[in-house]
Amino acid sequence: MSASEHTPLRGSCLCGGVRFEVAEPFDRVGACHCESCKKISGGPGTVSGRARTDAIRILAGEELLTTYQPEDGSAKTFCSRCGTNLFGGGWPESPLTPVRLPTLDEPFEGTLDVHMYVRSLAPWEELPEDGVPRYDERAP
Ligand SMILES: [Zn+2]
Ligand SMILES: [Zn+2]
């Protein structure tokens, strides 16, 4: 699907202060099971659709966005009022940005393309037999 035929995806944080849109389809949807994603999500990890950073437009709440750079891994961006994790991958400096799928306002209809950092699966975490490629660390 070309970018011109694509209806922009809209997303927002829990408090509604931050609103954004993604003007192009995701090129990959990945579940990350790394330690950082567990911490920031409060769950088994993050699930993100990857888009070109230039295709992401902040519609409201730019002043609420805070980016945290951990010692290891890429910077994560969240709403400083409600804590919703919005973007990973070093947004806005990086060419590509993982957008957290649960922040989309309409349920995402696609499926996963990759499981990443499965070496960091928690003892209480079990991957489904979904046939999706798995990588110990980041996906190529
Ligand atoms: Zn918020
Ligand atoms: Zn991760």
Side-chain angles (χ1 to χ4, degrees):
M1 195 193 294
S2 77
S4 57
E5 295 163 345
H6 175 75
T7 308
L9 298 168
R10 291 284 181 102
S12 57
C13 64
L14 181 61
C15 77
V18 178
R19 290 190 298 109
F20 65 92
E21 70 177 20
V22 184
E24 295 173 4
F26 296 130
D27 75 336
R28 183 169 86 186
V29 176
C32 186
H33 304 272
C34 81
E35 302 285 347
S36 302
C37 285
K38 285 181 169 56
K39 290 245 184 194
I40 61 176
S41 70
T46 57
V47 180
S48 307
R50 191 175 66 177
R52 287 189 321 112
T53 300
D54 288 348
I56 299 169
R57 278 208 313 140
I58 306 301
L59 304 175
E62 189 139 28
E63 73 284 359
L64 293 172
L65 291 172
T66 300
T67 297
Y68 174 69
Q69 175 63 60
E71 256 177 58
D72 285 321
S74 57
K76 330 283 185 203
T77 299
F78 59 95
C79 171
S80 59
R81 188 155 68 197
C82 68
T84 298
N85 189 261
L86 296 157
F87 311 126
W91 180 91
E93 268 99 45
S94 55
L96 297 171
T97 293
V99 176
R100 307 308 183 203
L101 280 192
T103 64
L104 296 178
D105 295 333
E106 298 288 332
F108 184 72
E109 301 287 347
T111 52
L112 282 182
D113 298 308
V114 287
H115 285 288
M116 292 176 277
Y117 286 92
V118 296
R119 69 170 185 193
S120 300
L121 281 188
W124 41 261
E125 196 181 355
E126 201 171 325
L127 286 186
E129 290 302 326
D130 53 11
V132 172
R134 302 172 182 190
Y135 298 90
D136 270 344
E137 297 190 355
R138 57 185 302 146

